[in-house]
């Protein structure tokens, strides 16, 4: 099988924890041919199909020079996406204009016969913070607004709140405001720019002290372990990028309930891999662009997440 990974520059991978690398390694272990390109290498011409400048890879097993680039293989240096058995969109956020345009090129490739995971339209239809609005029975009290007055009323009701931008990642731009409302006005101004930007406000969940859990759902089925990203020191954010400590743990009953409720629905829409963020028993985000935590879970529990993913990918083809 030939698999194309659309991802960030290979030279930027931190292979000790990169989930895309774990996918590549498992694919090669099974005898599949691994290739890669970056979103800016996608191109379409009238009377032709979507192609990319393709790098064919041999993983070396070394921690430093972790891949060797092979001469052009089966489909050439400017391969048509439709010629691969699978195309995996693994570009990291932010979901900016260029990411959006890339999904349209990938959707054109689908029309030409390519099999793309996660499906481009599903990536566009499930913004990672707003996607939870479809599942209100699983979420904490939440407000999405541009209105500063609405935020103040929400705070007056719930006293302890979290504010965050809709386009943030890795914990970027997240603020906690407690009962004293210290700096609430300034934070609102910073995040919504005098009403120009929509923000999300949620009731603070004390269970964050036990971690912001990443629950992976593959092919509609949950991985039996989550990675709890636990805030350190005085930090309120559990994100690994913000210094959180990752601790793998067995799914709780409520984790399973959320995953079983959402997994089949999202899989039916073409989302082969989803990362649900759960604090306590509340869903806080639905990550679909390039969910991570494969290696941390595998290293701490022995459960091979990449193998489960590759099983699901092979079954989907």
């Amino acid at each position: 099988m030939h698999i194309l990974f659309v991802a960030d520059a290979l030279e930027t991978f931190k292979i000790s924890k990169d989930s895309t690398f774990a996918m590549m390694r498992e694919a090669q272990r099974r005898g599949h041919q691994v290739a890669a390109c970056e979103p800016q290498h996608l191109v379409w011409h009238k009377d032709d199909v979507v192609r990319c400048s393709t790098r064919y890879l041999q993983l070396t097993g070394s921690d430093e020079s972790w891949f060797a680039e092979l001469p052009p293989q089966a489909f050439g240096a400017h391969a048509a996406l439709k010629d691969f058995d699978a195309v995996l969109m693994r570009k990291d956020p932010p979901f900016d204009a260029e990411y959006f345009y890339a999904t349209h090129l990938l959707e054109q490739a689908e029309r030409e016969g390519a099999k793309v995971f996660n499906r481009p339209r599903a990536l566009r239809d499930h913004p990672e913070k707003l996607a939870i609005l479809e599942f209100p029975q699983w979420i904490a009290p939440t407000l999405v607004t541009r209105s500063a007055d609405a935020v103040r009323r929400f705070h007056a009701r719930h006293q302890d709140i979290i504010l965050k931008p809709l386009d943030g990642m890795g914990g970027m731009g997240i603020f906690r405001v407690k009962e004293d409302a210290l700096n609430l006005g300034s934070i609102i101004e910073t995040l919504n720019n005098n009403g120009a930007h929509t923000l999300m406000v949620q009731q603070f969940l004390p269970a964050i002290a036990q971690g912001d859990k990443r629950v992976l759902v593959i092919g509609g089925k949950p991985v039996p372990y989550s990675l709890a990203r636990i805030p350190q020191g005085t930090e309120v954010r559990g994100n690994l990028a913000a210094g959180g400590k990752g601790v793998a743990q067995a799914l709780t009953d409520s984790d399973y309930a959320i995953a079983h409720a959402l997994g089949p629905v999202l899989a039916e829409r073409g989302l082969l891999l989803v990362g649900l963020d759960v604090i306590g028993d509340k869903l806080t985000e639905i990550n679909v662009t390039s969910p991570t935590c494969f290696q941390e879970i595998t290293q701490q529990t022995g459960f091979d997440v990449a193998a489960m993913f590759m099983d699901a990918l092979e079954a989907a083809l």
Side-chain angles (χ1 to χ4, degrees):
M1 191 161 75
H2 293 78
I3 303 175
L4 174 68
F5 291 81
V6 182
D8 292 294
L10 301 176
E11 289 76 11
T12 67
F13 279 32
K14 296 179 180 178
I15 65 169
S16 62
K17 62 179 184 178
D18 194 283
S19 295
T20 303
F21 168 76
M23 295 175 184
M24 291 178 170
R25 181 174 57 191
E26 178 61 18
Q28 180 173 288
R29 190 189 68 80
R30 298 184 182 207
H32 303 319
Q33 172 64 62
V34 174
C37 75
E38 299 172 44
Q40 63 263 37
H41 298 147
L42 299 172
V43 62
W44 179 84
H45 290 291
K46 184 178 182 295
D47 301 323
D48 197 6
V49 296
V50 178
R51 297 181 179 274
C52 65
S53 300
T54 312
R55 304 174 76 178
Y56 296 92
L57 311 179
Q58 177 71 37
L59 276 60
T60 64
S62 169
D63 289 340
E64 295 184 6
S65 300
W66 63 270
F67 71 93
E69 193 164 348
L70 304 174
Q73 300 292 301
F75 311 129
H78 298 282
L81 271 62
K82 69 179 184 65
D83 289 336
F84 289 93
D85 296 288
V87 178
L88 302 184
M89 177 50 159
R90 290 290 300 172
K91 172 70 177 70
D92 285 341
F95 193 111
D96 55 13
E98 288 301 326
Y99 193 109
F100 176 79
Y101 303 147
T103 66
H104 279 285
L105 286 170
L106 290 171
E107 192 168 20
Q108 174 61 25
E110 278 190 320
R111 288 189 285 267
E112 296 160 359
K115 295 181 179 179
V116 184
F117 305 92
N118 285 328
R119 291 198 67 185
R121 180 176 294 275
L123 290 173
R124 295 197 302 273
D125 286 349
H126 295 82
E128 299 192 331
K129 291 182 173 61
L130 291 177
I132 66 170
L133 273 59
E134 184 181 353
F135 307 100
Q137 67 271 39
W138 301 110
I139 70 176
T142 298
L143 170 70
V144 179
T145 186
R146 291 190 190 186
S147 168
D149 288 341
V151 175
R152 291 189 177 93
R153 288 193 297 270
F154 188 90
H155 176 265
R157 180 176 180 182
H158 296 289
Q159 298 294 298
D160 197 351
I161 63 174
I162 293 290
L163 303 92
K164 54 189 175 183
L166 294 181
D167 59 353
M169 61 177 187
M172 180 182 65
I174 292 179
F175 294 89
R176 179 184 179 184
V177 177
K178 299 182 181 181
E179 184 177 0
D180 59 12
L182 186 65
N183 291 327
L184 178 59
S186 177
I187 291 168
I188 295 172
E189 292 171 7
T190 298
L191 291 180
N192 90 334
N193 191 22
N194 295 316
H197 299 147
T198 304
L199 65 151
M200 176 173 278
V201 193
Q202 295 175 305
Q203 183 182 43
F204 175 75
L205 298 172
I208 185 62
Q210 285 75 54
D212 179 356
K213 296 175 286 187
R214 168 60 54 83
V215 178
L216 293 170
V217 181
I218 299 174
K221 299 177 181 179
V223 171
Y225 299 92
S226 70
L227 189 75
R229 286 83 50 89
I230 301 173
Q232 300 297 293
T234 60
E235 182 60 70
V236 71
R237 301 169 297 174
N239 310 74
L240 299 182
K245 179 181 179 181
V247 177
Q249 53 190 230
L251 296 192
T252 65
D253 290 344
S254 60
D255 295 338
Y256 272 116
I258 294 170
H260 286 313
L262 273 63
V265 174
L266 298 175
E268 180 66 24
R269 297 173 184 175
L271 294 168
L272 182 70
L273 172 61
V274 173
L276 306 176
D277 286 352
V278 179
I279 298 176
D281 61 357
K282 300 298 183 183
L283 175 70
T284 61
E285 290 188 18
I286 300 175
N287 296 270
V288 300
T289 50
S290 59
T292 59
C293 301
F294 280 37
Q295 294 206 61
E296 294 90 343
I297 292 172
T298 299
Q299 289 163 3
Q300 294 185 39
T301 70
F303 183 87
D304 196 331
V305 182
M308 179 178 173
F309 175 80
M310 200 56 57
D311 286 343
L313 178 63
E314 291 171 348
L317 296 174

